[in-house]
Amino acid sequence: MNIQTLKEALLMGLKNEMDSVTVYADAAERTSGDVSSFFKTRSDEEKRHYNWLLEYYKKVQGGTIPNYDLTAEVFGLDTKSPLLTKDFINRLAADQHLVTAVTTATLMESTAIGFYRSAAEQAPNKELASFFTTLMKWEEKHYQELLSVQDELAQAWFEKQNFEPF
């Protein structure tokens, strides 16, 4: 990966993270309590991703390749998800915008995993590869969490709509 490609990858990562911040923040504003906290926590995590990418980007713009590893910092911030109670899922299912936010976020996390995996494979040094791999692993955690929510949410949504799955 040459410097120009690295800059482009970092810019794409910045855009993707801002998209995620927007989806999560909008969903958090639509609701309250633990459902709002669920989305706000994810928005805050995506803001951290954005800030880390921005820091890397500024260093690359300045002519240096960052040579530090964020693994300990990233996974030191790990937070536990709320328990996926029936009430939690039902409150999500009651608002189509929140259902759509979960679906959109799941797809965005999947896209981010692929993006960071590719960036890690093409990184010009082991520290940057580790940086992208760390972000990929964090996005994988988000993705798995959202898949669980989405699975439970689908059934609750069908019940709220009085639909029966085929």
Side-chain angles (χ1 to χ4, degrees):
M1 176 183 288
N2 64 37
I3 295 298
Q4 185 58 37
T5 305
L6 174 57
K7 286 179 189 177
E8 290 169 7
L10 290 167
L11 286 173
M12 181 57 71
L14 285 163
K15 187 216 177 287
N16 292 343
E17 295 300 338
M18 187 53 66
D19 289 345
S20 295
V21 166
T22 301
V23 168
Y24 288 129
D26 287 351
E29 288 178 16
R30 291 191 61 83
T31 189
S32 61
D34 60 343
V35 175
S36 180
S37 294
F38 173 82
F39 288 112
K40 177 145 180 21
T41 298
R42 274 131 203 90
S43 176
D44 290 345
E45 288 177 355
E46 301 301 339
K47 285 176 186 175
R48 280 194 293 274
H49 296 181
Y50 179 90
N51 288 336
W52 288 325
L53 286 167
L54 183 60
E55 182 179 339
Y56 265 73
Y57 180 76
K58 286 179 179 179
K59 288 185 186 267
V60 170
Q61 277 289 93
T64 62
I65 301 288
N67 62 356
Y68 50 89
D69 186 359
L70 292 172
T71 306
E73 183 178 352
V74 168
F75 290 104
L77 295 170
D78 255 358
T79 56
K80 294 283 185 204
S81 292
L83 293 175
L84 300 180
T85 65
K86 183 108 173 119
D87 180 59
F88 178 87
I89 296 296
N90 284 336
R91 283 185 286 134
L92 281 173
D95 185 331
Q96 183 59 47
H97 290 280
L98 298 178
V99 173
T100 301
V102 170
T103 300
T104 301
T106 304
L107 292 170
M108 292 171 77
E109 298 294 356
S110 177
T111 299
I113 292 166
F115 171 77
Y116 290 130
R117 179 179 291 120
S118 176
E121 291 167 356
Q122 298 175 38
N125 63 42
K126 68 179 183 172
E127 291 83 10
L128 196 54
S130 177
F131 171 76
F132 285 125
T133 299
T134 299
L135 287 173
M136 179 193 73
K137 288 178 182 176
W138 207 3
E139 301 296 5
E140 285 174 339
K141 177 183 170 278
H142 294 171
Y143 178 72
Q144 290 303 319
E145 199 171 70
L146 286 165
L147 277 180
S148 295
V149 171
Q150 195 172 25
D151 287 346
E152 291 191 44
L153 188 53
Q155 184 60 42
W157 185 85
F158 277 113
E159 289 171 9
K160 291 258 183 239
Q161 303 304 317
N162 296 319
F163 292 144
E164 299 258 344
F166 289 37

